[in-house]
Amino acid sequence: MESMRKRFVIARLLLLAALAGPACMLAATTTTAAPAAPEVAIGQPLRAAQLDGLNGPSRPLSSYLGRPLLINVWASWCGPCRAETASLERLAWMDPARSYAIIGISTDDDAAAARAWLAASNATISHYIDHGLQLENMLGASHLPLTVLVDARGRVLERVYGAQEWDSGQALALVRTKLAGGGHATKE
């Protein structure tokens, strides 16, 4: 009799689990998280954001207003991102006149991995880490690397996907045309 009672209880529990399973799945599929803020369209200004420093101090994105900005979005695990790093450094050092800033935004989940890569690459450009996909979504980083050219008023001018040689003639022409600063850079 005891064995039959145990089987009955087990059967009821299995039936409840079977009935509750689809309800839980339905609840999980109908519950929506807060939607991510969309990417900023070309010609539109970047939204306010706090930049969390990886190899320097943290600062608000708005502190770059007043001069053009080249933002490189990368990750330490991304081979093409790592490959273009040296050209961004060379671009930053080409002219000390400092008419536009160059910064990097890491999408790494692990800030220590991003810092380790920056130390290994001897980075001098200011780099920041993204949190909660805020910058990644705002900048439109659907794949990496991504470089975003921004004017002095904070408006997105151009998105360039994929690794580039940023100190090559073709890339310099793009930067000079879009940022209209004669190709001068700062290592911000």
Side-chain angles (χ1 to χ4, degrees):
M1 189 69 149
E2 187 66 32
S3 137
M4 190 140 168
R5 184 177 289 175
K6 282 183 185 178
R7 278 190 249 172
F8 179 72
V9 169
I10 290 172
R12 286 181 64 191
L13 288 174
L14 289 173
L15 177 63
L16 286 173
L19 292 173
C24 291
M25 291 301 290
L26 180 60
T29 58
T30 58
T31 302
T32 57
E39 79 179 49
V40 172
I42 300 291
Q44 295 302 307
L46 294 173
R47 293 182 292 277
Q50 180 64 26
L51 301 175
D52 187 8
L54 282 169
N55 63 343
S58 298
R59 62 194 289 183
L61 180 59
S62 62
S63 68
Y64 287 102
L65 287 173
R67 62 183 167 171
L69 181 61
L70 183 152
I71 304 172
N72 181 255
V73 185
W74 60 276
S76 64
W77 49 262
C78 168
C81 300
R82 293 167 71 116
E84 81 175 345
T85 300
S87 71
L88 286 164
E89 286 287 335
R90 289 189 302 269
L91 177 63
W93 284 95
M94 287 181 95
D95 192 334
R98 300 176 175 238
S99 69
Y100 63 88
I102 300 173
I103 64 170
I105 305 291
S106 170
T107 62
D108 281 281
D109 292 330
D110 180 7
R115 282 189 186 94
W117 164 243
L118 291 174
S121 68
N122 297 313
T124 61
I125 298 167
S126 292
H127 290 270
Y128 306 93
I129 189 131
D130 192 11
H131 295 291
L133 306 176
Q134 176 191 16
L135 296 167
E136 189 173 339
N137 289 336
M138 176 171 58
L139 296 171
S142 58
H143 57 279
L144 299 176
L146 164 67
T147 302
V148 181
L149 303 178
V150 180
D151 73 10
R153 294 184 290 190
R155 294 179 306 174
V156 175
L157 300 174
E158 182 92 15
R159 285 186 180 86
V160 180
Y161 291 94
Q164 307 293 315
E165 285 294 322
W166 286 103
D167 57 339
S168 71
Q170 183 179 4
L172 282 170
L174 172 68
V175 171
R176 287 178 177 144
T177 300
K178 291 294 183 174
L179 299 184
H184 307 297
T186 64
K187 299 180 293 152
E188 288 294 335

